[in-house]
Amino acid sequence: FFHDHTLLILIMITVMIAYIMFMLFFNKFTNRYLLHGQTIEIIWTILPAIILMFIAFPSLRLLYLMDEINSPLITLKAIGHQWYWSYEYSNFLNLEFDSYMIPTNELDINGFRLLDVDNRIVLPVNNQIRILVTATDVIHSWTVPSLGVKIDATPGRLNQTNFLMNQPG
């Protein structure tokens, strides 16, 4: 909806500017009040501000709704290290493990190269899940393409996102 709303405003602006330019190219008459007028200067200063407000208010509402987290059932903390990830289930007492990538020579026939790990995380289906992501050394990226989740892990910063899985996999 926001994309369509913004695109409609941009199309209206583009059509209006194209019409004005077309009329200026083929019009031989000039208006002396248009060239030296305080009224037109006020209009072309205030009109863009009003247009920007029509774009900004739905955008701010959308940003607020995206940041809202609906009481997650489980919280997972992912910590990026040099060659592996550490996971902590903070809802349970002392449940943490490391997840290393499986080397190519030890990979199964049906395995995914550079994606399969020795310890996978297990998360519930049809429940709100919050994930906290950080790193210990350099910037990492925690990604699950099938969920549409990608979040950066930055040292010294705790990033948070949430998602809902509606099918196992």
Side-chain angles (χ1 to χ4, degrees):
F1 174 75
F2 177 70
H3 176 267
D4 295 342
H5 173 76
T6 308
L7 197 61
L8 182 68
I9 292 173
L10 290 175
I11 287 173
M12 289 187 330
I13 291 171
T14 305
V15 167
M16 186 178 76
I17 297 298
Y19 174 74
I20 291 172
M21 287 179 66
F22 181 78
M23 293 309 291
L24 282 174
F25 285 142
F26 297 108
N27 191 359
K28 301 274 191 261
F29 305 110
T30 57
N31 186 348
R32 68 184 177 123
Y33 297 112
L34 185 64
L35 295 177
H36 301 287
Q38 197 170 19
T39 309
I40 192 70
E41 290 180 9
I42 291 172
I43 290 172
W44 73 46
T45 303
I46 292 178
L47 191 64
I50 292 171
I51 292 171
L52 285 175
M53 284 193 295
F54 274 107
I55 294 174
F57 288 138
S59 173
L60 291 174
R61 180 181 171 275
L62 190 62
L63 281 173
Y64 174 74
L65 289 175
M66 283 176 48
D67 196 38
E68 188 175 319
I69 295 179
N70 304 326
S71 62
L73 175 75
I74 193 166
T75 299
L76 176 70
K77 184 175 182 184
I79 304 166
H81 298 279
Q82 186 72 31
W83 294 103
Y84 64 97
W85 287 87
S86 295
Y87 295 102
E88 299 174 7
Y89 289 94
S90 57
N91 297 76
F92 306 107
L93 295 175
N94 201 14
L95 183 57
E96 55 188 55
F97 60 92
D98 294 332
S99 180
Y100 292 91
M101 189 172 29
I102 297 176
T104 306
N105 58 352
E106 298 176 14
L107 199 59
D108 293 338
I109 292 292
N110 296 330
F112 293 107
R113 184 178 165 269
L114 300 177
L115 289 177
D116 269 341
V117 293
D118 57 354
N119 293 322
R120 297 180 179 183
I121 57 172
V122 178
L123 297 170
V125 177
N126 290 329
N127 288 304
Q128 213 45 42
I129 301 163
R130 173 176 48 196
I131 182 159
L132 306 172
V133 181
T134 188
T136 58
D137 47 9
V138 295
I139 298 175
H140 298 277
S141 183
W142 192 87
T143 308
V144 181
S146 59
L147 289 176
V149 176
K150 181 175 182 172
I151 188 166
D152 290 330
T154 309
R157 182 180 174 106
L158 193 64
N159 292 330
Q160 168 180 300
T161 190
N162 66 331
F163 52 88
L164 177 79
M165 295 188 303
N166 52 6
Q167 63 182 1

